[in-house]
C-alpha cells in the first residue's frame, strides 16, 4: 500500500504556551485538541487549519528537557498563496527571520524561513 498523505508532524517544544501562541497567532492555525498522557508527564497539543484533518501539527511538551536547539525536526513547511505578501506580513510582526529575502528554488517554488519559539525552522513556500 502506498502512502497517500502525511497525517501530522510532531515537534518537541520547551515552552508550550509560547509555541501555541506562535502557531495560532503568527501562522494562523487552530487548536484542535490538547491533553496530557503518561500520568501528566507529557502534554500534547494538536493544531490544524480550518477544522480540516489534512494537515496537523502535534506539539509535544515535557519528557526530555535536553532537546537540541533545532528540536527533533529539521523544519516545518507551510504552503501560502502569496509568498511576497506573507513575507511582508511577518516582517511586521515580532518574528525572528532566518532568510533575508524570498528565495526561488530550481523547481520554481519560492520560500523563506523564520525561527519558531524553540529554534525550529519554519518554512513558508509558494508553488
Amino acid at each position: 500500500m502506498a502512502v497517500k498523505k502525511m497525517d501530522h508532524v510532531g515537534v518537541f517544544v520547551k515552552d508550550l504556551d509560547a509555541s501555541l501562541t506562535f502557531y495560532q497567532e503568527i501562522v494562523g492555525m487552530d487548536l484542535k485538541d490538547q491533553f496530557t498522557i503518561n500520568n501528566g508527564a507529557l502534554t500534547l497539543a494538536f493544531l490544524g487549519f480550518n477544522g480540516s484533518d489534512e494537515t496537523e501539527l502535534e506539539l509535544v511538551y515535557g519528557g526530555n528537557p535536553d532537546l537540541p536547539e533545532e528540536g527533533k525536526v529539521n523544519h516545518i513547511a507551510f504552503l501560502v498563496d502569496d509568498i511576497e505578501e506573507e513575507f511582508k506580513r511577518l516582517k511586521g510582526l515580532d518574528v525572528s527571520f532566518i532568510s533575508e529575502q524570498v528565495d526561488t528554488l530550481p523547481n520554481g517554488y519560492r520560500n523563506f524561513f523564520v525561527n519558531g519559539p524553540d529554534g525550529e525552522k519554519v518554512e513558508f513556500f509558494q508553488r
Side-chain angles (χ1 to χ4, degrees):
M1 181 171 150
V3 173
K4 300 222 184 246
K5 67 174 184 155
M6 178 185 75
D7 183 55
H8 71 275
V9 173
V11 177
F12 283 96
V13 298
K14 296 177 186 172
D15 183 336
L16 182 60
D17 290 334
S19 292
L20 284 170
T21 297
F22 178 83
Y23 288 104
Q24 289 178 285
E25 295 180 12
I26 302 297
V27 176
M29 299 183 90
D30 300 315
L31 181 62
K32 296 166 65 173
D33 202 358
Q34 180 176 332
F35 51 84
T36 60
I37 60 171
N38 295 349
N39 294 321
L42 293 175
T43 300
L44 306 179
F46 296 88
L47 298 108
F49 292 106
N50 303 321
S52 170
D53 287 333
E54 278 297 311
T55 302
E56 194 165 73
L57 175 64
E58 176 184 356
L59 302 178
V60 181
Y61 173 74
N64 182 0
D66 300 318
L67 293 173
E69 190 64 28
E70 194 175 82
K72 299 293 183 190
V73 173
N74 178 266
H75 74 279
I76 303 163
F78 295 99
L79 179 66
V80 299
D81 292 328
D82 186 331
I83 195 75
E84 295 290 343
E85 186 63 32
E86 192 64 13
F87 188 83
K88 181 179 175 183
R89 184 184 77 82
L90 293 183
K91 277 291 189 181
L93 300 174
D94 185 22
V95 176
S96 171
F97 275 74
I98 298 169
S99 301
E100 295 181 21
Q101 63 189 21
V102 174
D103 291 318
T104 302
L105 302 173
N107 63 358
Y109 291 8
R110 301 185 70 216
N111 72 346
F112 67 90
F113 288 88
V114 301
N115 287 306
D118 277 288
E120 72 275 21
K121 291 191 295 188
V122 179
E123 176 187 13
F124 293 87
F125 75 100
Q126 180 180 356
R127 290 185 178 139

